[in-house]
Amino acid sequence: MKAAVLMGCFLTALSLTETTQVSRPAATMSPADAFSSIITTTTTTTTTTTTTPGPTTTTPGPTNTTTPGPTTPGPTNTTTTPGPTNTTTTPGPTTTTSTTAHPPTPTPPSNVTVGNYTLMKDKAVCLMALMALQIRLQTPEATGTFIVQPQKTQTEGSCKDSTANLTLVFTEGFISFLYNKSVQDDRVYVNALSFNLSYAFIQGGNKSHSAENKTVHLFSARVGHSYSCRGESLDMGRGLFLDVTQDRMQAFNLTKANEFGTPDPCPADQPNYRVAVAVGVTLLVLLVVVLLVYLLGRRRRTDGYQSL
């Protein structure tokens, strides 16, 4: 029994001896200082290979790729928004279409109104005209009437010693009268007449119409008298007519109260005695014929009876 115990102790001692020999380093291996330096180097390497700088470098990476990427194309898409700018051109076609679809139409006719037009010289009235005016166009292409509205008409002109210019200006044009005073003939009359009118007598026919006549002898009256006429139409040529109605005018030598002188009526308003004379002569002839017939009939009856 003891021998067995001793044997076991001996074997244990042998195993310990072998273990000690195995753990002892060989002669070719580095000394303990070398191992400690290796361990220190390993530790340093471990410190350098720490992922702390790794995430630091990777963090700006996504920042650079993500932020500029979407941000740059973003404005590019917004620059394409000028597409709606094309919608601003839509008013252009609207204006063009409205002009084409609605051509100029004739102005509706207004009532003929008498206007009072005066000119002053030295704080006194040197010319005064009461009249209603209208311009007519009568051509195969167009017919119509333009009526001058006194409330929309301005009076311009001046008076001199023997001439006076009366110009009536309105939106569509003007009418000009040039008066002349002839002392030798003791007459005042209009020796030049002109007008210019921009007006659409027919739909879509807005044209300029002008007429001028410098060799006329119109509205003649004695010096100090006024000219009056119920209505007359002046042929200005090329199918244009100037109608003057309810007219009374006088240039030069008005009364001290700035009133018209004695009226000199136009030929159309002057009484025509020739018709009355012709009717009187006709009645007289018929009366003589009837009387002769009566006398002849009575004589025949007298000749038919015989005395007893």
Side-chain angles (χ1 to χ4, degrees):
M1 194 70 174
K2 292 180 180 181
V5 173
L6 291 173
M7 183 61 81
C9 293
F10 180 73
L11 291 174
T12 303
L14 285 175
S15 62
L16 292 171
T17 306
E18 290 177 0
T19 304
T20 307
Q21 292 177 352
V22 171
S23 58
R24 185 178 300 174
T28 56
M29 296 183 69
S30 301
D33 296 336
F35 279 102
S36 61
S37 63
I38 291 172
I39 292 169
T40 306
T41 307
T42 306
T43 307
T44 308
T45 306
T46 305
T47 304
T48 24
T49 54
T50 52
T51 56
T52 310
T56 306
T57 47
T58 53
T59 306
T63 305
N64 295 332
T65 52
T66 338
T67 12
T71 309
T72 310
T76 309
N77 294 333
T78 50
T79 50
T80 56
T81 52
T85 308
N86 296 332
T87 55
T88 54
T89 57
T90 47
T94 306
T95 308
T96 310
T97 25
S98 63
T99 307
T100 323
H102 303 286
T105 56
T107 306
S110 304
N111 296 328
V112 179
T113 308
V114 177
N116 186 0
Y117 311 105
T118 58
L119 292 178
M120 304 290 292
K121 180 183 179 181
D122 298 331
K123 298 181 180 180
V125 177
C126 63
L127 188 150
M128 183 164 56
L130 297 175
M131 55 185 171
L133 299 169
Q134 62 180 15
I135 298 175
R136 287 186 298 113
L137 176 67
Q138 289 184 350
T139 61
E141 294 79 15
T143 58
T145 303
F146 170 80
I147 300 175
V148 177
Q149 298 300 309
Q151 66 273 15
K152 299 180 181 179
T153 304
Q154 295 181 355
T155 304
E156 297 180 359
S158 61
C159 294
K160 297 181 180 180
D161 293 337
S162 60
T163 59
N165 178 21
L166 173 65
T167 302
L168 307 179
V169 182
F170 37 87
T171 306
E172 295 81 1
F174 67 88
I175 302 175
S176 182
F177 303 85
L178 183 60
Y179 292 81
N180 183 44
K181 179 181 178 180
S182 175
V183 180
Q184 296 177 353
D185 299 334
D186 192 28
R187 308 294 293 184
V188 177
Y189 57 92
V190 172
N191 63 343
L193 177 62
S194 62
F195 65 78
N196 186 32
L197 177 66
S198 179
Y199 183 72
F201 286 101
I202 59 174
Q203 185 174 6
N206 191 11
K207 297 181 180 179
S208 179
H209 307 273
S210 60
E212 183 179 14
N213 196 335
K214 296 183 178 180
T215 59
V216 294
H217 194 283
L218 303 172
F219 315 120
S220 178
R222 293 179 59 187
V223 177
H225 287 206
S226 61
Y227 175 87
S228 66
C229 193
R230 287 180 294 182
E232 53 190 328
S233 182
L234 309 176
D235 189 354
M236 301 297 293
R238 295 182 296 178
L240 292 170
F241 297 86
L242 178 63
D243 297 334
V244 185
T245 57
Q246 305 178 42
D247 176 24
R248 191 171 184 185
M249 64 174 65
Q250 181 177 348
F252 314 108
N253 304 98
L254 279 84
T255 64
K256 294 182 179 180
N258 293 328
E259 296 179 351
F260 290 112
T262 305
D264 288 348
C266 63
D269 292 349
Q270 291 177 359
N272 194 348
Y273 297 105
R274 290 177 297 180
V275 176
V277 171
V279 171
V281 171
T282 303
L283 292 176
L284 181 61
V285 170
L286 289 175
L287 182 61
V288 171
V289 170
V290 170
L291 183 60
L292 289 175
V293 170
Y294 173 75
L295 293 175
L296 289 175
R298 188 174 180 180
R299 183 177 180 182
R300 287 179 182 178
R301 290 176 185 175
T302 305
D303 294 341
Y305 292 104
Q306 296 181 356
S307 59
L308 297 176

